Amino acid sequence: MALTRRRYWAMAVGSLIFRLILIGFSDDLNLGSRPEVATPVTSLRRLAEGYWLRNSSMSPYSGSMYHGSPLLLPVLGPLTIKRVEGLPSHLFCSSIFIIIDFITAMLIRATGQKLMSTNHQSLQRLNLSCVQETTGCTNVGDLASLIFLWNPFTLVTCVGSSTSPIDNLMVVLAIFGACSGLPSLAAFGWVVATHLSLYPAILVIPVILLLGYGPDVPPSKLFLLEKSGESGSDYSSDKTCSKQRSKEGSPLHLFSWRPALCFILWSLIWSSYIFFLSFISLKEFGGLSEMMKKTHGFILNVEDLSPNIGVFWYFFAEVFEFFRSFFLIVFHINILFMLVPLVIRLRHRPCFLAFVYIAIMSMLKSYPSVGDSALYLGLLGLFANELAEMRFSFFLLCGYFGISLLSPVMHNLWIWRGTGNANFYFATGIAYASLQTVLIVESTPSLPHENQGAPTVSDSLEDSTERQRDDGVFVP
């Protein structure tokens, strides 16, 4: 799919205009009350309550309303109380979120361009640039940014009184900084994202791999295929050629510790700065201990069991109190069990590894929202070339569309009409988690890994080799 520069910017600006139109109907849509859009951690209405409590010389964490970062209160709090007669409430906050969405999309676009540039340089150094031309690669940066901007999940999050756009921006900033080789920027994005919602802490692994190895490159199997096509030698000779190419400076990179150590140092600096600002903000209301208990502690203990599109609320509403601590550990450690196997499988594709981690976070976090899905679906566009042959794509598209329609209907039948029960709404949550599981399970094997060359690139490579051999280009 080739997009001209003018057409791309027309579609990008069109998405911003469409957001402005939706803001005009935000009071009628009332998206801020939807459990799929706003959670106890990201709700802008709860943030307004916390800001009011702070202005009343009380702790913003008094009661059980606000559970976000204290640093968001002086930034977004004043905007929540500003009203213009005849215009929607939270107009100024929604306008800020439009700008944040646009910046996030541009960072995704820049990340995609960086990945394409690195991939092209790797193939060019191995005389394989003709493969990329033969396969007709899509401009993944433009595609991914447009998917993010026009994703319905992104749209409703932007105008739905949720702070999820800020979380998404920080995550993308960390990935972009790592792809660009900027440890300070990557550390800032990662620290702030972790401070806001805790779960991005696991992204430290792909960020360090991106800084150490650089952006994603084709697996080493492709390098062997190219040499095999030239000489027609057996696998043992291919291994020897691979070693020779490594000595000559091929794209088989070694891990660089310097940017990784710089990232760790900058992370400590930014963390100290964040904690210092939080301490100053809450020094009269319990300090850091109060903040950790009401933010990260609230997320880990799953204290609010109001319905959402996740699976935690229903399970912990039914489980006996005696077993609650045990199952809290089981549910949270489930994420950690997946980290090491995925690193082993995708260590040479750290950017895709970050996408998988974000998808797992969205599926297994205690208070998920559609804003989390908007992020990983946008990042999925960065791998459109590799995942072109992924199975069940149409099924997944229909599934996401169906869940988007059924979830509000089931919630209405249960809460407002009284003709359904909690199982109706929880069924949509189970289906939603199942769709995310299918996406992760099908996308990971579809990506070329160290023991498997990409089918489309390999086939094109063999065809190109045969054509050049017939033309007498290769010299045995």
Side-chain angles (χ1 to χ4, degrees):
M1 183 182 67
L3 277 176
T4 62
R5 197 175 183 86
R6 178 178 298 180
R7 186 179 179 185
Y8 170 79
W9 287 111
M11 296 182 68
V13 173
S15 68
L16 303 182
I17 296 175
F18 187 62
R19 281 169 166 78
L20 290 173
I21 296 174
L22 289 178
I23 289 176
F25 299 95
S26 58
D27 288 341
D28 296 329
L29 295 173
N30 197 25
L31 293 174
S33 64
R34 298 299 315 165
E36 301 88 359
V37 178
T39 70
V41 179
T42 63
S43 174
L44 194 63
R45 296 180 178 181
R46 290 178 177 245
L47 186 145
E49 179 72 15
Y51 182 71
W52 183 86
L53 290 172
R54 185 185 176 189
N55 286 346
S56 302
S57 300
M58 292 185 288
S59 171
Y61 300 113
S62 298
S64 59
M65 285 297 294
Y66 185 61
H67 299 283
S69 167
L71 302 183
L72 292 179
L73 295 176
V75 178
L76 297 178
L79 300 179
T80 60
I81 62 176
K82 289 185 178 181
R83 296 288 189 274
V84 178
E85 187 176 354
L87 294 178
S89 58
H90 300 320
L91 171 65
F92 297 100
C93 286
S94 298
S95 301
I96 294 296
F97 293 152
I98 291 178
I99 299 174
I100 290 176
D101 274 354
F102 181 74
I103 296 174
T104 304
M106 293 303 101
L107 291 176
I108 292 176
R109 182 173 184 249
T111 302
Q113 292 173 345
K114 186 67 176 178
L115 293 178
M116 290 191 67
S117 174
T118 303
N119 184 62
H120 179 72
Q121 291 175 6
S122 300
L123 294 177
Q124 198 171 31
R125 273 181 284 180
L126 290 171
N127 299 321
L128 299 178
S129 57
C130 58
V131 175
Q132 197 172 31
E133 299 173 359
T134 304
T135 55
C137 293
T138 303
N139 189 331
V140 294
D142 291 352
L143 177 63
S145 61
L146 288 179
I147 290 176
F148 178 80
L149 285 173
W150 282 103
N151 191 333
F153 291 163
T154 314
L155 295 173
V156 299
T157 302
C158 180
V159 300
S161 301
S162 171
T163 60
S164 292
I166 302 177
D167 301 349
N168 293 344
L169 173 62
M170 291 299 108
V171 171
V172 174
L173 188 65
I175 297 175
F176 169 75
C179 286
S180 302
L182 302 173
S184 58
L185 186 62
F188 175 78
W190 176 74
V191 168
V192 176
T194 303
H195 171 70
L196 293 177
S197 57
L198 183 62
Y199 288 97
I202 65 174
L203 294 178
V204 65
I205 299 175
V207 167
I208 288 179
L209 290 178
L210 274 169
L211 290 169
Y213 287 118
D216 295 359
V217 296
S220 56
K221 181 71 174 182
L222 291 180
F223 309 146
L224 301 179
L225 287 173
E226 189 269 344
K227 188 62 182 177
S228 176
E230 291 187 16
S231 60
S233 57
D234 57 7
Y235 181 73
S236 60
S237 63
D238 287 342
K239 288 169 53 176
T240 304
C241 294
S242 177
K243 293 179 181 178
Q244 292 175 353
R245 285 181 179 273
S246 299
K247 294 178 180 179
E248 294 171 2
S250 73
L252 301 177
H253 300 295
L254 297 177
F255 187 83
S256 177
W257 285 100
R258 182 174 181 179
L261 294 176
C262 288
F263 169 80
I264 296 174
L265 177 61
W266 275 107
S267 296
L268 294 175
I269 294 173
W270 289 121
S271 298
S272 302
Y273 190 57
I274 291 293
F275 280 124
F276 175 75
L277 292 179
S278 301
F279 174 77
I280 295 298
S281 178
L282 297 173
K283 63 180 179 180
E284 299 177 358
F285 309 113
L288 296 179
S289 60
E290 179 73 5
M291 181 196 72
M292 298 300 294
K293 178 181 177 181
K294 294 295 185 177
T295 55
H296 294 175
F298 175 81
I299 293 174
L300 293 176
N301 290 324
V302 198
E303 298 175 8
D304 192 320
L305 299 180
S306 56
N308 56 60
I309 57 174
V311 295
F312 277 47
W313 68 272
Y314 187 90
F315 183 85
F316 286 103
E318 300 293 337
V319 73
F320 290 110
E321 190 65 25
F322 178 78
F323 298 103
R324 180 180 172 84
S325 299
F326 170 75
F327 282 107
L328 278 174
I329 297 174
V330 171
F331 270 62
H332 289 302
I333 208 171
N334 190 27
I335 298 179
L336 303 179
F337 281 150
M338 304 181 189
L339 300 186
V340 175
L342 287 171
V343 170
I344 295 174
R345 175 65 180 270
L346 300 170
R347 62 186 179 277
H348 73 294
R349 303 302 302 269
C351 198
F352 185 80
L353 179 65
F355 155 75
V356 174
Y357 279 5
I358 293 171
I360 291 175
M361 287 189 308
S362 303
M363 179 175 59
L364 296 178
K365 68 192 308 185
S366 52
Y367 301 105
S369 70
V370 294
D372 305 314
S373 299
L375 177 58
Y376 72 74
L377 290 176
L379 295 177
L380 182 64
L382 295 176
F383 314 100
N385 294 321
E386 293 92 335
L387 301 180
E389 303 298 327
M390 188 181 74
R391 300 186 304 169
F392 307 125
S393 300
F394 182 72
F395 168 77
L396 289 170
L397 177 63
C398 294
Y400 277 102
F401 181 74
I403 293 300
S404 302
L405 296 179
L406 284 177
S407 184
V409 172
M410 296 302 177
H411 186 267
N412 181 269
L413 290 176
W414 172 32
I415 299 297
W416 301 109
R417 296 185 179 274
T419 56
N421 55 44
N423 294 323
F424 282 47
Y425 188 69
F426 182 62
T428 61
I430 290 292
Y432 182 66
S434 300
L435 287 174
Q436 296 177 96
T437 303
V438 173
L439 176 62
I440 297 171
V441 170
E442 290 301 323
S443 62
T444 303
S446 300
L447 195 81
H449 52 86
E450 284 292 346
N451 297 320
Q452 170 188 340
T456 56
V457 177
S458 302
D459 296 340
S460 300
L461 175 61
E462 292 175 359
D463 295 340
S464 177
T465 301
E466 292 296 331
R467 287 197 303 269
Q468 293 182 351
R469 181 180 295 168
D470 292 341
D471 295 339
V473 174
F474 288 110
V475 178

